[in-house]
Amino acid sequence: MEAQKQITVHSEHTESAPVIYLPVVMGDGSDVYDRCRELGCPPFTLVAIGGLDWNRELSPWACDGTVRDAEPFGGQAAGFLDELLNRIIPKVELSLPQPPAWRGIAGYSLAGLFSLWALWQTDAFDRAASASGSLWFPGFIDYAHEHAMAVTPDAVYLSLGKKETKTPNRMMRHVLDDTRAMEALLVERGIPTTLELNPGNHFAQTDLRMARGIHWILTH
């Protein structure tokens, strides 16, 4: 039985503003939306999606957990993407005053990985923001190199905390190299891309980091 997703729409109801979809691990996205407004983001609609089985529904393929005895990654992102494209997006956008000017996808950590992976699967998203994305995920960078994207996005934002490589975890230690490799790949494919390095580790100022990514894709 699929868990029911919690959908929260934050909107200033500006006609035909962009809409950005944000899977959230906890909360309803209001902290991220508040940070976006403080940063002076142009009007947009933020759609937060909660109630996810994080490790299962945001991982593109199955693999072991990051440490011994940790929960493995279930590799069922395709199922969540299908639900997003065929159930969540149509329902949300029917409720908006006008169709969005464009559609983006954003996420933090494993949701940041998902937001990039989605660009290889569907042309539904015009822009993506991956804040502290789990780009260390085994096989992802190779997959990105070897496959054509389903869409050439108008802009992609990447970020990482400067201390994220300082971890005893061997899977996560190469995250900066992987993120730089993703930046290089996107630039090579002619996509406007930025990589922002933030102070702190993976868990520092997550709402602000996500908002900075959303601000960048809204203004580039």
Side-chain angles (χ1 to χ4, degrees), residues 49-196:
I49 304 149
L52 283 150
D53 184 333
W54 201 248
N55 276 19
R56 182 170 66 81
E57 292 188 285
L58 292 171
S59 51
W61 42 83
C63 76
D64 292 340
T66 48
V67 291
R68 192 202 299 266
D69 299 330
E71 182 191 347
F73 295 98
Q76 292 179 23
F80 170 52
L81 182 61
D82 185 65
E83 184 181 359
L84 182 58
L85 295 176
N86 296 308
R87 295 196 6 225
I88 296 171
I89 289 175
K91 193 173 174 185
V92 165
E93 294 184 8
L94 208 58
S95 73
L96 298 176
Q98 283 195 320
W102 53 264
R103 193 183 291 129
I105 184 153
Y108 199 88
S109 191
L110 209 53
L113 170 74
F114 176 84
S115 71
L116 294 181
W117 171 82
L119 301 176
W120 272 259
Q121 316 306 314
T122 175
D123 61 2
F125 302 106
D126 302 295
R127 297 170 188 228
S130 170
S132 289
S134 303
L135 307 192
W136 50 263
F137 194 81
F140 179 63
I141 298 298
D142 289 342
Y143 173 88
H145 273 280
E146 290 160 13
H147 293 79
M149 300 172 85
V151 64
T152 301
D154 297 327
V156 175
Y157 173 93
L158 306 168
S159 76
L160 206 61
K162 290 179 182 172
K163 292 184 178 171
E164 294 200 44
T165 53
K166 294 177 172 59
T167 169
N169 188 304
R170 60 184 174 73
M171 279 168 88
M172 297 179 177
R173 213 175 290 157
H174 50 79
V175 65
L176 178 59
D177 292 341
D178 292 333
T179 306
R180 287 199 189 283
M182 175 55 71
E183 179 194 23
L185 171 71
L186 293 167
V187 168
E188 188 184 298
R189 294 188 183 181
I191 297 158
T193 304
T194 192
L195 168 56
E196 190 165 43

